[in-house]
Amino acid sequence: MTLLAPCACDPAASRGRRYPEPAAPTRSAFQRDRDRIVHSTAFRRLVYKTQVFLNHEGDLFRTRLTHSLEVAQLGRSIARTLRLNEDLVEAIALAHDLGHTPFGHAGQDALNACLKSHHPDSAGFEHNLQSLRVVDTLEERYPNYDGLNLSFETREGILKHCSRRNARRIEAREPGGVAQRFLATAEGQPAQQPGLEAQLANLADEIAYNAHDIDDGVRSGLLSLEQLAQVELFEQYSGETLLQHPGLQGRRLLFETIRRMLSAQVYDVMDATRAALAAAAVDSVQAVRLSPPLVCFSTEMALKSSSLKRFLLQNLYRHPQVVETTQTAQQVVRELFAAYMADPAEMPQAHTDRFDRLESSPLAGAGSPAKPERVVADYIAGMTDRFAAKEHERLIGRVAFPA
């Protein structure tokens, strides 16, 4: 077993769970978190939730599930070399997208607009916060509490971003908890970071989606190798590949280029993070929290990664075909929200029962039942792409995505 670095999160020193439980006899706290995530309903649903291309558009495009597995693999590889806690990185990586809506960011944006238009003071919809709601409240698997009762460190890593308004709501229910770092500077305290494992899961997420969106973009026909040659990071490793394998074409050239890109970014993170840790001289998790972000790219690689993201934004995410699908997906979510608000009985009773039941949600006031609009948003957010499309057809009488 690899000896953890002094600044790694030690499960024996975890800040614990919201509801105390005896330790497992054969698993650490973070291994237990990972296992609970893998067995959750929300995790299984990720197989039919989209990344960029919707579920009906093809069987070989990435889904939220395959993306989460790729993030976990990259994260563990880096964590092992840096002597960070692999199990914690894996747990965060596998859970980080549990709160995503159907239809990717299109669904998220539409649901946020629905909540804001229904109630201007609404917390809106943030997918990172929704992931925390899933593991804290919405999963119903245990007799003594709602949610999965994960450890503090895993929950902190899941809450990658949070608006200040929502952080205040969470802090009111959990003083000094997972949202405290988003409020520190506003309260005159030093800026705070999450643990290194959470920082690593965040960067592994970026590495993974940049790489697989290239692959999916070419597979879809919306990107070409000629276009990608404009991107320095891709062109560099495509050139290396062709020097070693003259005449290589098509998907073999694409796959080998992406493989080399991934390797280069992984090794760059290892080297840059080692240098940042040495410069900061951190020797504890608390020292990490009070330091600037330490898991990082080198300056050169960060610039290349940013250039790749700009290319994907302009040429893939804003491609007319993707935009058209996005607009249809947002309309589906808006119409589902309106239909369920008009007649909540169209939802399963297990969801309407929450109108009268007190809950321990990060967004609820102490001892408050869930508001109808939040229950509707939770129900829609939990849907897969294909279930949302079927429900929309049932309620609205129109096929949104013709085969």
Side-chain angles (χ1 to χ4, degrees), residues 100-119:
H100 254 297
T101 62
F103 314 128
H105 288 279
Q108 170 186 279
D109 294 344
L111 206 49
N112 182 56
C114 287
L115 287 166
K116 292 289 190 181
S117 64
H118 185 81
H119 196 302

Side-chain angles (χ1 to χ4, degrees), residues 253-292:
L253 173 58
L254 175 66
F255 290 152
E256 180 61 15
T257 301
I258 293 173
R259 185 188 70 78
R260 290 172 184 243
M261 284 174 54
L262 283 171
S263 294
Q265 290 174 91
V266 164
Y267 292 129
D268 183 89
V269 170
M270 291 174 181
D271 292 340
T273 301
R274 282 196 195 97
L277 290 171
V282 292
D283 58 359
S284 68
V285 173
Q286 184 58 25
V288 168
R289 295 185 182 283
L290 298 178
S291 299

